[in-house]
Amino acid sequence: MALWAYTPLLAGGYTRADKPLPPKYDHPGTARCLAALDAVAAETGANRNRVVLAWLLPTAVPIVGVSTVEQLDEAIAGVTLTLTDEQRARLDAEV
């Protein structure tokens, strides 16, 4: 069975200041999740979007809609980013 992740980047909510995370994703653990995401992003030299896409693989196949070449490049960079087992464990612990 394959698991597909629809809209894993939350319509820009991870990286765009003009599109904050939707209210349904704001809960007591949100700050911890975002802190772990930011830490891994800093360690890899990537951004939140790329880390989210890398973290989903190989467990799920992210479905990402793009409307620009830059967004396509961002998605490709995310699915080709390699996370360490320790980084994955930290992200898993906060979800």
Side-chain angles (χ1 to χ4, degrees), residues 9-72:
L9 302 179
L10 303 176
Y14 287 117
T15 57
R16 291 183 53 180
D18 64 325
K19 291 195 170 197
L21 289 175
K24 65 184 171 185
Y25 293 98
D26 188 14
H27 55 77
T30 299
R32 284 190 329 272
C33 291
L34 293 177
L37 190 57
D38 288 338
V40 173
E43 291 166 13
T44 61
N47 63 26
R48 287 177 175 178
N49 283 347
R50 292 178 182 183
V51 172
V52 167
L53 294 175
W55 177 61
L56 285 170
L57 293 170
T59 305
V61 178
I63 299 173
V64 180
V66 300
S67 55
T68 67
V69 172
E70 291 78 18
Q71 289 172 340
L72 176 61

